Every structure is written in structure tokens, then in C-alpha cells.
Amino acid sequence: MRFPAVLAVAGLMLTASPTVAFAAPEAQCANPSGTYTGGVPWGQRLVDPARLWPLTRGAGQLVAVIGTGVDGQNTQFAPGQLEGGGGTEATDCDGRGTIAAGIVGAQPDPSTTFAGVAPGAHLLPIRYTQANGSSNDGGDPGALAGAIDTAVDRHAGVILVAVPAAFDSPALSGAVARARAQGAVVVSAATATQQGARTYPTATSGALGVGSVNQAGEPVQTEAGDYVGVAAPGAELVSTSAGAGGAVAHRWPVTDPGLAAAYVAGVAALVRAYHPNLTGDQVVTRLTLTAHRPPSGAHDPRLGWGVLDAYAAVSSTLPADVAPPGSAVAPAPEPAVIPAAAPARPASDVAAGTIALAGVALAAAAGVTVAAVRRARARGWRPSRFTP
């Protein structure tokens, strides 16, 4: 797989450190870098949501964005797209919630090349922390549990934990279990910065843990474990900024592993909109089965089952009872197909993008169902490094 190169951009440059990439100083709120007008950001090109918009834009889906709030004055969010009224949840001094929300659902706008993954989805900002700093300093896991319960009560189908907690608690694991029982997809990134440390609910049973990659396809985050399910862009990104003051405004380049979960949440919303009868667990299975596999072809503790493939996740045909990767017995799925409603592609691209799913179903061995997806065979896994 070859990752697209991002074009050079102008404007205020933010630090690329995962721990301080876009956190505001203690006495100062986040401010925009400007309005982004460079080439389509590489993360957006990799996920390529516009290719799916003829099929679905995520309409009818409610995505909860749990973290530091979302600045409702950034006009790249459509009127009424942010639910919950104009209270404190619609402000975001820290800035992380607004950046994550933009990746999920910012509207296409002629003033910028940046757009969110699922612009048809509604967003539910839920603030549980106002802490400035690294994305693994979320705060009280009990408060995070309450935020997840609120998202479930509001019938959010996708729950994005934009700021994971550094510690677990019975309340937090219970909230994730309740969300799963109600059919919600809980998405949380691996953001711990110490070897062996974990973030929560990333490592909680029932949540989809997300790793992050840079433009070269290399893992960004330190945190690793068998609970990481998929990976997505988490470095040198562009998204909406807090402090926009009624304008379309952005922050770039932003590097933080927590943002990878926003890409996954946006694609989960597209999947749910296009396959409304899927359970939350089936959505997670679809995301992991169709991911671009790591070089080993097996689970990687930082990349999970591979890098997110949005088009395959939405358009592939899978049996309703297909087992998730890593199951003791995984039935081989039927070949994937592209729906007739999909946008036309050049003949060479269609040939390169033929989707085939192969699986192994051996009761005595650990079966892994592998979905070989768009251009995977033609291009291979290893991307070329970006050269400025």
C-alpha cells in the first residue's frame, strides 16, 4: 500500500510532539493556525471519504465526541449539526475535542481542501475534562464513565473517546459494557506515552482500540497491546480549530495518536449509515476484517489488524455471521463486491482494486479471516516515504 504524499502547507506550524501537539497553555485557549488551503491533507487522502459520499455521508448517525467540548462557532460545522444546545459543551478552550469532531464530520467548504469523513452525521459534544496537556491526561475515569452513559442515553451509535483516561475503574468498564449492550461502537485511541502503560477505555474489553500511523505507515504511538484493533492517521494532520470566532478555521500540522480514533469513528458512522441493520460488534468486525494488513499479515501490537480502509469497510460484502480476526475458528467470507451505486473508476484502477477475501477455517488452529482490499495486492503493504 502506498500512502499519498501531503503537499507543503503555509501558516503557523505547531509542534509535532505527540504529547504537546495541540494543547493550549494553561492560561491560554487554543487558537487557529488559519484557514487551510494547501493540498488535500494526507490523512484525508488515505481514508478518501469523498469516494464513499455517493453511497453514504453518514446521515442519520449520531457520533458522541467525548473529551474537552467542541467549539460550535467554527462554521465548518453545519447549523444544527452539533447537538446539545449552546451551553458549555459548545466551547473548547483545550482544542482537542474540536479537532477530533472536525475529522469526524466537518462540512466540505469552498474555502478549504479539508473536510470531515462523515459530514452527514450529527455530533454530540460531551465534555468530561478541561485538562490541557497530552491526550492521555484525561482525568477521572469515573467522569468519563458518566460521559459514556450520557452518550448511550442520547442514543449515540458511535461513541468517540477523544481524550482517553490514564486509569481504569469499575465504573468505566461498566459504562463500556452498557454501551456495547445497547449496540454502540466505542472507539478510543492508544495514547499512553510510557512503555507498558495503557489508556482507557482503549484497553477495556468491548471498546475498539486504535493505533496511529504517519505518512510512511509507521506506528506513531508508544502504547501497544493485543487490544489494538486497527490503525489510522495520527500525525501531521489538519482539522478544525477552536477559537474560530464564527469563521472556517483550522490547526495544522497536528500530531497526536488520539486523532486516529476520530478517523475510525467517522468511518464507523459511514458503515452504520450504509448497513443500518449491523450490530455494533458487526461494525467493529467489518472495520478490522477489511483493514490493510501489517507486513506480517498477523496482528501487530501497535497497528492492530492493519490500517483502516474506509472504502472496503463500507462496500465489501461479508456474511452476517463472519467471525472477527483472531477468532479460534473464522469462516471464510464470500468474495467482496463493490455495490453498483459506487462511483465509476478508471479501468486500470478497477483491476488494481479488485477485492477478494480469503480465510482459514481450521478448528485446531487459530483462524484469521483476512480481507484483501482495494489495490492491496497490486501495491503491496509497504508505502514509500514522503520526500518533501
Side-chain angles (χ1 to χ4, degrees), residues 27-317:
Q28 180 182 349
C29 289
N31 290 307
S33 304
T35 300
Y36 180 78
T37 58
V40 176
W42 81 268
Q44 186 175 324
R45 292 179 60 189
L46 176 66
V47 177
D48 199 8
R51 189 183 177 196
L52 283 164
W53 290 344
L55 303 179
T56 175
R57 295 166 67 93
Q61 300 304 303
L62 179 62
V63 180
V65 181
I66 298 178
T68 61
V70 176
D71 185 356
Q73 292 188 20
N74 191 310
T75 55
Q76 204 167 355
F77 299 114
Q81 186 180 15
L82 299 182
E83 298 196 0
T88 59
E89 307 287 10
T91 62
D92 181 17
C93 178
D94 179 275
R96 280 175 280 173
T98 304
I99 294 174
I103 290 173
V104 174
Q107 302 298 305
D109 188 279
S111 68
T112 180
T113 54
F114 168 76
V117 174
H122 278 221
L123 306 174
L124 176 64
I126 302 176
R127 177 185 294 152
Y128 91 99
T129 179
Q130 299 187 60
N132 294 329
S134 66
S135 56
N136 67 317
D137 66 352
D140 179 14
L144 178 52
I148 293 174
D149 284 338
T150 297
V152 172
D153 291 343
R154 295 290 299 274
H155 306 291
V158 179
I159 300 174
L160 165 61
V161 180
V163 183
F167 304 98
D168 196 10
S169 74
L172 181 54
S173 58
V176 172
R178 287 188 292 274
R180 185 183 183 190
Q182 292 299 313
V185 178
V186 180
V187 184
S188 182
T191 62
T193 57
Q194 300 297 321
Q195 290 288 344
R198 297 183 171 192
T199 47
Y200 299 90
T202 312
T204 302
S205 176
L208 175 56
V210 179
S212 58
V213 294
N214 59 20
Q215 297 175 56
E218 301 163 337
V220 174
Q221 86 283 1
T222 301
E223 185 176 349
D226 58 5
Y227 51 87
V228 176
V230 292
E236 302 293 307
L237 304 178
V238 178
S239 188
T240 47
S241 176
V248 172
H250 306 98
R251 295 296 294 271
W252 78 86
V254 179
T255 294
D256 192 289
L259 296 180
Y263 276 107
V264 175
V267 175
L270 295 179
V271 171
R272 301 215 79 155
Y274 195 67
H275 301 278
N277 295 323
L278 292 183
T279 66
D281 286 349
Q282 288 171 330
V283 172
V284 172
T285 296
R286 179 171 282 268
L287 293 170
T288 52
L289 278 178
T290 58
H292 290 282
R293 289 290 177 264
S296 67
H299 183 272
D300 183 278
R302 290 203 286 172
L303 297 175
W305 293 103
V307 176
L308 181 72
D309 187 318
Y311 191 76
V314 172
S315 67
S316 296
T317 297

